[in-house]
Amino acid sequence: MPYLSRIRINHLRPASRRLLANPHVTHGAVVGGLAEITGTERPLWRWDTDRAQRPHLTVCTPSKPDWSHITEQYGWPDADGDQVLVRDYSPLLERLATGQEYAFRITANPVQNIPPSQKDIDEHHGEKKIRSRRAGHRTAAHQWSWFLSRSEGWGFEVPPAPLPPTEQDGDDPAAAVDLRITHRQRLAFDKKGKSVVLTTASFHGRLRITDLDRFTYHLTTGFGPAKAYGCGLLTVAPLTFGNGC
Amino acid sequence: MSPEPSSESSVLLLRLAGPMQSWGDRSSFNRRETRPEPTKSGLVGLLAAALGRPRGADLTDLAGLRCGVRVDQPGTVLRDYHTVSDFRGLPLLQAGVSAKGVQKPTSPAKPTHVTHRFYLQDAVFVAALAGDSELVGALADAVRRPAFPLALGRRSCTPTQPLALDVRPGGLEAVLASEPWHAARHARQAYRRRQGGAVPEVDLPATFDDEDGTDVVNDLPLSFNARDRRYSTRRVRHAWLTVPTGETAVGGAAAASSHDPFALLGW
């Protein structure tokens, strides 16, 4: 039974800065909140930093988590207000149906597979099979088309943006569909002495469910790679004025 | 808002847009600055040029128009580094005059001045001039068929079309607030991106002639005579106008903070 959580983080604590700066540390803190990890399902998490002074961590976990260690180390353990919000995710999963539209948010890791070059083949003479190399998409246009080309396999589509006909946005690809890239980042951090480099992009927009099973599956297991590092958690919210894009 | 005189029965709307504009109000000599908004002397000068009035002509009717300026797109400041010299190689003149009242040459001889000229680039303003409907109608015709070439504050700053938008009845502020936003496409896209989607309204700064205004500017022209340029002061009031963008709401303002995934979880 999956759960969705939101944890407030006190950014003034030195430990919180390490947490915010290094996805490897965040992943450790998130996994530490699960008493049992059942099956192959893994926790998904994402930083929501709409307001720089109020970062919060959104987490989707396969079982009921306990975030008291995060609040104690990185939050306000004794302060008023909900420091942690944990809700059962199943009412949403039961409510979803094909054709429904929602506002969504996701931070993803757009990547491409680069087939082995002749040079790679020459270096591995003797070996017959050489794996292709994975590299991040680094431009907004590539990240954009990566997301749109994957969306069908993930069980949803991004409908056209209802722009007024007077707007002359003919040559602007951003105007064609209801999707925006709100943040792009190159993350470079340490993982046990080795450095990891990731290119991430945050997408906001509107989606319409086309394949319910695939969409529900990915909602709890993640979209795209780098799921341990704050990528792949898609959240949906009601479409109201002032919400979608 | 002060009550508007009964003689004001119509308002002329002008769209002031061009690659460059320059609206100086007090700079002279070698540093020519620009105000961030069009000056009344600039607007009156533009209208007088459209009517074909010579330099020394009487301006009381034009200076008596109530004016309001809306900033649709603020633009950026451009500094033009410029040098001035006499083509004959003679030394430039100094400020002091000889016993005959003639300017003396600089000593030691100075062949070149450095001047700085400031421009607003990529700015769009909507100016409204309210007054007697007969005069305003004549001005609208004159701006469409000007007697002299028109310029946005300086001769080198030519306006883009359309310059004259409309003549409308009503109060200055109401007319200026109802005119849709005249920003360029890139400015609209930047605004949409900031707002997180298209929104139907935008708040724009505006300045109005107002006897009870809080600010005083020294740009009311009394004479454009080349040998006798004179200006007086006028009181202005600064305000914000909520103006239609001409777009229907697609997303909304606050999209960044309103995404609440817990809203669907029944809490």
Side-chain angles (χ1 to χ4, degrees):
Chain A
M1 200 158 74
Y3 283 82
L4 194 67
S5 321
R6 174 193 288 165
I7 311 156
R8 292 178 66 193
I9 300 294
N10 181 356
H11 72 294
L12 294 174
R13 300 175 75 155
S16 305
R17 301 191 189 175
R18 283 196 294 280
L19 186 78
L20 281 157
N22 192 332
H24 186 62
V25 176
T26 319
H27 181 68
V30 168
V31 173
L34 295 171
E36 289 177 36
I37 296 183
T38 51
T40 56
E41 286 186 52
R42 304 189 296 177
L44 297 169
W45 57 271
R46 182 181 76 202
W47 281 114
D48 281 314
T49 47
D50 301 334
R51 295 160 65 194
Q53 278 71 39
R54 289 282 180 278
H56 58 254
L57 191 59
T58 308
V59 192
C60 179
T61 48
S63 55
K64 188 162 186 180
D66 174 27
W67 303 122
S68 47
H69 65 295
I70 294 190
T71 307
E72 276 169 17
Q73 288 180 67
Y74 311 109
W76 293 268
D78 289 332
D80 277 348
D82 278 337
Q83 303 303 316
V84 165
L85 193 65
V86 180
R87 287 287 179 276
D88 186 5
Y89 213 14
S90 10
L92 172 72
L93 301 179
E94 287 160 15
R95 176 199 270 209
L96 294 176
T98 307
Q100 284 177 342
E101 289 194 6
Y102 292 100
F104 74 90
R105 260 187 199 198
I106 180 174
T107 298
N109 172 223
V111 291
Q112 58 183 325
N113 285 320
I114 298 175
S117 64
Q118 190 58 46
K119 188 179 158 216
D120 297 336
I121 295 169
D122 292 344
E123 282 175 3
H124 289 76
H125 48 267
E127 278 184 53
K128 286 201 175 168
K129 182 147 175 95
I130 303 164
R131 296 181 67 178
S132 56
R133 194 159 54 83
R134 181 186 266 186
H137 279 305
R138 287 181 295 181
T139 69
H142 282 128
Q143 292 169 347
W144 181 276
S145 48
W146 173 86
F147 187 85
L148 290 179
S149 66
R150 293 297 187 286
S151 61
E152 191 192 343
W154 288 333
F156 66 87
E157 62 177 0
V158 181
L163 278 184
T166 52
E167 195 56 43
Q168 300 160 346
D169 278 324
D171 55 343
D172 179 14
V177 289
D178 220 343
L179 177 68
R180 290 187 295 139
I181 296 181
T182 54
H183 191 63
R184 305 197 297 125
Q185 201 174 9
R186 179 183 181 274
L187 292 172
F189 53 92
D190 277 348
K191 176 193 176 183
K192 294 178 187 165
K194 286 189 235 168
S195 81
V196 180
V197 177
L198 288 179
T199 314
T200 67
S202 298
F203 298 89
H204 289 198
R206 186 159 61 102
L207 61 80
R208 185 186 295 139
I209 302 172
T210 51
D211 186 330
L212 185 61
D213 291 340
R214 282 184 183 178
F215 185 67
T216 319
Y217 172 75
H218 284 294
L219 264 190
T220 50
T221 58
F223 296 78
K227 296 183 190 74
Y229 296 136
C231 295
L233 172 61
L234 184 143
T235 53
V236 293
L239 262 182
T240 52
F241 175 73
N243 196 330
C245 77
Chain B
M1 190 178 167
S2 64
E4 300 190 348
S6 58
S7 66
E8 279 183 15
S9 41
S10 55
V11 178
L12 169 64
L13 282 175
L14 298 176
R15 171 178 166 273
L16 306 171
M20 294 201 292
Q21 315 190 15
S22 187
W23 306 97
D25 67 341
R26 61 179 177 183
S27 48
S28 43
F29 309 121
N30 285 351
R31 189 181 166 91
R32 301 281 181 167
E33 294 180 350
T34 176
R35 299 277 304 168
E37 290 177 13
T39 53
K40 188 155 187 178
S41 59
L43 292 172
V44 168
L46 183 142
L47 296 174
L51 290 169
R53 292 195 187 172
R55 275 282 175 184
D58 181 36
L59 297 171
T60 43
D61 54 341
L62 299 180
L65 294 168
R66 279 192 69 219
C67 89
V69 171
R70 193 180 85 187
V71 183
D72 282 36
Q73 197 178 311
T76 51
V77 174
L78 170 76
R79 189 184 73 158
D80 180 21
Y81 175 91
H82 218 101
T83 56
V84 183
S85 52
D86 190 311
F87 72 99
R88 293 162 295 187
L90 300 178
L92 293 164
L93 301 178
Q94 58 162 287
V97 291
S98 66
K100 292 179 183 168
V102 182
Q103 266 184 289
K104 292 189 287 193
T106 44
S107 154
K110 185 181 181 184
T112 308
H113 275 315
V114 172
T115 82
H116 298 281
R117 289 146 199 217
F118 290 83
Y119 298 88
L120 292 176
Q121 51 186 354
D122 199 26
V124 181
F125 304 98
V126 174
L129 295 137
D132 177 54
S133 52
E134 200 176 317
L135 173 64
V136 167
L139 288 174
D141 291 341
V143 170
R144 292 199 177 95
R145 271 191 269 173
F148 296 129
L150 303 182
L152 302 175
R154 183 174 288 165
R155 183 57 67 81
S156 59
C157 305
T158 49
T160 49
Q161 293 289 337
L163 182 60
L165 291 173
D166 207 357
V167 175
R168 287 190 203 153
L172 187 66
E173 191 158 346
V175 169
L176 210 48
S178 64
E179 177 65 19
W181 197 25
H182 281 279
R185 203 178 76 186
H186 69 88
R188 286 171 180 276
Q189 284 176 347
Y191 179 69
R192 270 214 304 266
R193 220 172 292 129
R194 265 200 316 279
Q195 298 295 317
V199 281
E201 284 172 339
V202 58
D203 286 335
L204 301 176
T207 306
F208 297 97
D209 275 353
D210 190 342
E211 285 158 14
D212 307 323
T214 51
D215 205 359
V216 177
V217 283
N218 183 30
D219 67 351
L220 187 67
L222 301 177
S223 165
F224 285 136
N225 190 327
R227 296 192 177 276
D228 182 29
R229 283 199 167 212
R230 276 180 288 119
Y231 298 94
S232 177
T233 54
R234 62 178 176 124
R235 279 198 168 268
V236 294
R237 175 171 53 91
H238 302 288
W240 287 88
L241 298 178
T242 303
V243 171
T245 56
E247 298 171 12
T248 49
V250 174
S257 56
S258 65
H259 182 89
D260 184 11
F262 290 87
L264 293 164
L265 301 181
W267 62 310

